[in-house]
């Protein structure tokens, strides 16, 4: 609060504005910087907690650019995501790297969580080439992939869908500095798209020992 007295501005208390502090010392008005170059003092646990929160915010933002992840069991999907991320290691990035949008992919990062049965998946081979094998059972004797996945005797109901997350770690040089980036792409498999011979881009659905496997066709041409 400023008071006009004898054609002078007299300050009561202090006024902080745009990084500057004004205050009255006797009959003198003092102007100084209100910012500090000293590092914020914190314990190791506080530092790790802030790094973990920053990691979660960055990864969540990358995922929500193309879809809305569903993680049940908490106050919100994001809250549940942060809870599950506590099981994973903390990644450390500088303040400057985070300002540039740096993000690091973490193995085991959750993209969904809920009451439905889990679908297990692991890397394997199909025709000597890498493939993503799953625990999703295919109906025996079905005439098509759609009928082996959906309908009576199959694992999925007609109104259910699967989301395939593709997370790719990249790096970009900006102003002479290398910045790790995370690209997230999501494709949906439902009954209608399963009718197509190739529902996913560059990925073929295969039957491996009665279970669904995702075989990347592009690997076969490398």
């Amino acid at each position: 609060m400023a008071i006009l007295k004898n054609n002078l501005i007299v300050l009561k208390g202090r006024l902080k504005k745009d990084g500057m502090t004004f205050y009255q010392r006797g009959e003198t008005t003092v102007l100084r910087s209100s910012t500090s170059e000293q590092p914020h003092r914190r314990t190791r646990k506080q530092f790790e907690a802030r790094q973990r929160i920053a990691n979660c915010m960055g990864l969540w933002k990358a995922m929500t650019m193309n879809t809305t992840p569903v993680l049940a069991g908490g106050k919100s999907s994001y809250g549940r995501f942060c809870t599950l991320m506590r099981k994973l290691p903390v990644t450390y990035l500088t303040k400057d790297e985070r300002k540039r949008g740096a993000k690091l992919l973490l193995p085991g990062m959750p993209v969904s969580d809920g009451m439905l049965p889990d679908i297990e998946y692991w890397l394997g081979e199909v025709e000597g080439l890498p493939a993503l094998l799953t625990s999703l059972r295919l109906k025996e004797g079905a005439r098509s992939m759609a009928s082996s996945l959906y309908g009576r005797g199959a694992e999925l109901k007609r109104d259910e869908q699967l989301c395939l997350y593709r997370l790719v770690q990249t790096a970009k040089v900006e102003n002479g500095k290398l910045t790790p980036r995370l690209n997230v792409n999501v494709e949906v498999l439902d009954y209608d798209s399963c009718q197509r011979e190739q529902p996913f881009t560059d990925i073929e659905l295969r039957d491996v020992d009665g279970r669904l496997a995702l075989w990347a066709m592009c690997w076969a041409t490398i």
Side-chain angles (χ1 to χ4, degrees):
M1 177 178 177
I3 299 177
L4 185 63
K5 183 177 181 181
N6 297 329
N7 295 326
L8 295 175
I9 295 179
V10 180
L11 298 176
K12 283 188 174 182
R14 298 188 178 192
L15 175 64
K16 291 185 178 181
K17 180 66 175 176
D18 295 331
M20 304 302 295
T21 297
F22 301 83
Y23 62 93
Q24 195 73 16
R25 179 180 293 170
E27 297 181 356
T28 304
T29 299
V30 180
L31 168 65
R32 68 174 179 82
S33 171
S34 63
T35 60
S36 174
E37 299 298 328
Q38 296 296 321
H40 296 291
R41 299 182 182 276
R42 59 176 67 97
T43 66
R44 178 69 181 185
K45 289 186 177 180
Q46 289 175 327
F47 174 69
E48 291 182 351
R50 294 188 182 189
Q51 287 288 330
R52 190 181 295 278
I53 292 173
N55 294 338
C56 289
M57 291 176 61
L59 294 173
W60 184 259
K61 184 178 180 180
M63 287 198 298
T64 53
M65 289 182 67
N66 293 312
T67 187
T68 303
V70 178
L71 294 100
K75 293 183 178 179
S76 65
S77 289
Y78 174 68
R80 180 60 177 165
F81 174 75
C82 293
T83 298
L84 296 174
M85 286 292 290
R86 292 175 187 169
K87 302 176 183 179
L88 302 183
V90 182
T91 57
Y92 299 95
L93 294 172
T94 66
K95 185 177 181 180
D96 182 58
E97 288 173 331
R98 296 201 185 279
K99 285 183 177 179
R100 298 199 308 269
K103 301 176 185 66
L104 292 174
L105 174 62
L106 287 175
M109 185 179 76
V111 295
S112 65
D113 184 62
M115 300 302 293
L116 295 176
D118 291 335
I119 299 176
E120 299 178 0
Y121 54 90
W122 60 96
L123 288 178
E125 289 188 355
V126 172
E127 298 180 1
L129 294 172
L132 184 68
L133 307 182
T134 77
S135 62
L136 198 61
R137 182 179 56 84
L138 298 177
K139 185 170 60 177
E140 187 177 356
R143 296 183 178 180
S144 66
M145 183 59 68
S147 60
S148 65
L149 280 171
Y150 290 90
R152 181 176 297 179
E155 287 277 345
L156 303 177
K157 298 179 181 179
R158 289 288 185 95
D159 59 346
E160 291 180 336
Q161 62 182 28
L162 301 176
C163 293
L164 174 64
Y165 284 75
R166 301 198 204 192
L167 297 90
V168 180
Q169 187 76 68
T170 61
K172 183 179 180 180
V173 178
E174 299 176 342
N175 298 325
K177 297 180 180 180
L178 189 65
T179 303
R181 298 283 190 180
L182 180 62
N183 296 328
V184 181
N185 185 39
V186 182
E187 294 182 75
V188 176
L189 175 69
D190 55 20
Y191 180 76
D192 292 332
S193 63
C194 198
Q195 302 288 341
R196 300 195 299 266
E197 183 178 353
Q198 189 176 319
F200 293 133
T201 305
D202 299 327
I203 289 181
E204 184 177 328
L205 303 184
R206 293 290 191 95
D207 183 341
V208 177
D209 298 328
R211 307 286 175 173
L212 177 67
L214 281 67
W215 186 66
M217 301 172 62
C218 59
W219 290 339
T221 60
I222 295 178

